[in-house]
Amino acid sequence: MTSRSDAARRTAPRTVLIAGASLAGPTLAYWLHRYGFAVTVVEKAHAPRGGGYPIDVRGTAIEVVRRMGVLPRLRAAHVDTRRFTFLGADGAEVATLHPSAVAGSVEGQDLEVGRGDLTAALYETVRDDVDLVFDDSIDHLDQHEHGVDVTFRGGRQRTFDLVVGADGMHSGTRKVVLGPEEQFHRYLGYTFAVFTVPNTLGLSRELVMWNAPGRAAALYATGGADDDLHAFLNFHQPDQPLHLLREGLRDPDAQRDLVARTYAGAGWEVPGIVEAMHQADDLFFDTAGQIRMPSWSSGRVAFVGDAAHAPSFLTGQGSSLALVGAYMLARSLATYGDHAQAFAAYERDTREFVTMNQALVDKGGARLFPTTAEALERRNAMLRELVAMPATTPQPAHSALVLPEPAAAGRTRDGLAG
């Protein structure tokens, strides 16, 4: 005989905890709510994160935001960068190009928006429909036959049917479930620093990048001549174990000292950029790498976005993979009543797309940051050729996945329609 509690458990909406409220998290929450799931999102920050370096939404991901109804808002926020100017080590101009020629994007279709603009647009699609918990995170979890018992950092305890880690490349959820990041991290040989600086050069909707072997410095104007600039310093570091890199670079003062030593003697405006870094209160510092997991799930816990498959900024596809991956995971959960089948379908249908975009690094994705004089000269020659032949072909990896239609109906337990 089936008990009343068993019957209630079978017919109640499945409960899902999503860790992370940046890009993949709100996107997943939107689609799961639409499919009839009861969704909670936990975010360690105090509020939705604004600001940040401009990010791209390309190819298949454009269709995701269109189906979510936020495409018009994002088009209004489109940065519309007019040109990229590349300088040599002596500060002399190498080439000036349209951004689409460099990125392989489709002018008039793909988007570049402030990270805060995209985060805000996604947040507003779910803020009234899901349980949003800020200033907290997952501290511990126990999986069992009927769900996942979660203990939060703040001390609360709750049980969910499923948990999804959407909390970034350095996912705390992934660490709790599977252990240290090092086992999944592929270091790409670069360290970078991003921060804002005053616009003393009067730049407007353009990027200017200086390069020397193994070092790059860029100033990015996403607004007019009166708006602050995004400064970007990216430099090559020999491959070494990730834990050594992290241990040596946790201290902000150590980070700034490393950058200052690395760029000593650099030309152009680099000394002023480094000096401004010392005054910046929004410095973001990290290593460039990818997350490559043999499986994107473990029991009742799955991962999405950078937590599952960070491609690195060198591909320009992190945001797009997060949006597409969240859509595909939600669709699979709505299609299959059994979470194991759903997670398997999500991975089966999405992994090739992810692999193609991660491989952009191996196919020249890092070519803007040469590490030797010879490679720098080859890169400069390539840029000059692009000036002579401005017509470009969109990058096939960006649209390699044809987005399937949304699932026909929401699901609850055991495949029952909600």
Side-chain angles (χ1 to χ4, degrees), residues 325-368:
Y327 176 94
M328 296 297 286
L329 174 55
R331 186 181 187 278
S332 293
L333 285 169
T335 302
Y336 297 92
D338 177 74
H339 68 272
Q341 290 180 309
F343 292 162
Y346 153 60
E347 188 161 344
R348 180 191 66 233
D349 297 339
T350 315
R351 185 173 280 275
E352 183 178 0
F353 176 66
V354 167
T355 299
M356 288 183 65
N357 281 280
Q358 287 188 326
L360 292 174
V361 169
D362 304 315
K363 296 177 180 178
R367 65 185 177 183
L368 293 182

Side-chain angles (χ1 to χ4, degrees), residues 139-222:
D139 184 66
H140 181 75
L141 57 80
D142 288 307
Q143 301 191 54
H144 49 80
E145 181 181 357
H146 299 302
V148 186
D149 297 332
V150 178
T151 301
F152 293 91
R153 185 190 64 199
R156 291 189 310 147
Q157 294 182 328
R158 289 183 60 185
T159 299
F160 299 88
D161 293 311
L162 303 171
V163 173
V164 179
D167 46 347
M169 182 173 181
H170 308 308
S171 169
T173 307
R174 189 184 59 232
K175 182 177 181 180
V176 168
V177 177
L178 297 173
E181 178 183 323
E182 284 79 358
Q183 61 188 310
F184 308 116
H185 188 277
R186 179 194 179 198
Y187 176 57
L188 297 176
Y190 295 90
T191 296
F192 65 94
V194 181
F195 48 97
T196 55
V197 300
N199 189 355
T200 59
L201 301 181
L203 302 180
S204 176
R205 298 192 181 279
E206 61 185 301
L207 177 143
V208 181
M209 181 183 291
W210 169 94
N211 285 91
R215 298 182 294 174
L219 293 174
Y220 204 168
T222 58

Side-chain angles (χ1 to χ4, degrees), residues 11-363:
T11 57
R14 282 187 286 181
T15 57
V16 181
L17 171 66
I18 301 170
S22 182
L23 303 182
T27 304
L28 179 63
Y30 171 88
W31 289 104
L32 288 180
H33 171 74
R34 173 170 166 169
Y35 293 138
F37 291 75
V39 181
T40 298
V41 180
V42 61
E43 165 58 50
K44 65 181 180 181
H46 300 295
R49 298 180 182 181
Y53 207 72
I55 55 179
D56 298 302
V57 181
R58 301 189 185 113
T60 306
I62 292 290
E63 182 62 13
V64 175
V65 295
R66 185 189 71 79
R67 293 182 187 182
M68 294 178 70
V70 299
L71 183 56
R73 174 173 175 169
L74 296 180
R75 289 219 182 279
H78 179 54
V79 173
D80 194 24
T81 303
R82 298 165 183 164
R83 58 185 170 269
F84 285 2
T85 300
F86 295 89
L87 309 177
D90 60 357
E93 182 176 324
V94 172
T96 296
L97 295 157
H98 191 278
S100 62
V102 180
S105 56
V106 181
E107 186 177 2
Q109 297 182 30
D110 297 343
L111 293 171
E112 181 186 32
V113 296
R115 185 180 185 89
D117 291 328
L118 179 55
T119 300
L122 297 174
Y123 168 71
E124 290 185 15
T125 67
V126 298
R127 65 179 181 182
D128 297 326
D129 298 319
V130 306
D131 183 15
L132 289 156
V133 181
F134 290 97
D135 196 23
D136 210 346
S137 60
I138 296 173
D139 184 66
H140 181 75
L141 57 80
D142 288 307
Q143 301 191 54
H144 49 80
E145 181 181 357
H146 299 302
V148 186
D149 297 332
V150 178
T151 301
F152 293 91
R153 185 190 64 199
R156 291 189 310 147
Q157 294 182 328
R158 289 183 60 185
T159 299
F160 299 88
D161 293 311
L162 303 171
V163 173
V164 179
D167 46 347
M169 182 173 181
H170 308 308
S171 169
T173 307
R174 189 184 59 232
K175 182 177 181 180
V176 168
V177 177
L178 297 173
E181 178 183 323
E182 284 79 358
Q183 61 188 310
F184 308 116
H185 188 277
R186 179 194 179 198
Y187 176 57
L188 297 176
Y190 295 90
T191 296
F192 65 94
V194 181
F195 48 97
T196 55
V197 300
N199 189 355
T200 59
L201 301 181
L203 302 180
S204 176
R205 298 192 181 279
E206 61 185 301
L207 177 143
V208 181
M209 181 183 291
W210 169 94
N211 285 91
R215 298 182 294 174
L219 293 174
Y220 204 168
T222 58
D226 295 328
D227 297 314
D228 284 347
L229 304 175
H230 296 280
F232 177 74
L233 298 170
N234 182 53
F235 54 98
H236 178 65
Q237 281 195 292
D239 197 1
Q240 57 181 296
L242 182 64
H243 72 278
L244 293 180
L245 283 169
R246 293 274 164 74
E247 288 172 5
L249 301 176
R250 292 186 191 278
D251 178 12
D253 289 335
Q255 296 169 2
R256 290 179 168 89
D257 289 345
L258 173 62
V259 172
R261 291 196 306 271
T262 301
Y263 285 87
W268 185 53
E269 300 288 335
V270 177
I273 297 173
V274 172
E275 180 60 30
M277 175 197 65
H278 287 287
Q279 311 302 322
D281 59 5
D282 60 350
L283 174 65
F284 178 76
F285 188 95
D286 205 349
T287 56
Q290 296 182 334
I291 296 298
R292 297 197 173 193
M293 299 178 66
S295 174
W296 297 340
S297 64
S298 177
R300 290 178 172 270
V301 182
F303 301 92
V304 70
D306 280 356
H309 42 64
S312 91
F313 77 88
L314 296 172
T315 68
Q317 280 294 92
S319 304
S320 294
L321 293 190
L323 295 167
V324 174
Y327 176 94
M328 296 297 286
L329 174 55
R331 186 181 187 278
S332 293
L333 285 169
T335 302
Y336 297 92
D338 177 74
H339 68 272
Q341 290 180 309
F343 292 162
Y346 153 60
E347 188 161 344
R348 180 191 66 233
D349 297 339
T350 315
R351 185 173 280 275
E352 183 178 0
F353 176 66
V354 167
T355 299
M356 288 183 65
N357 281 280
Q358 287 188 326
L360 292 174
V361 169
D362 304 315
K363 296 177 180 178

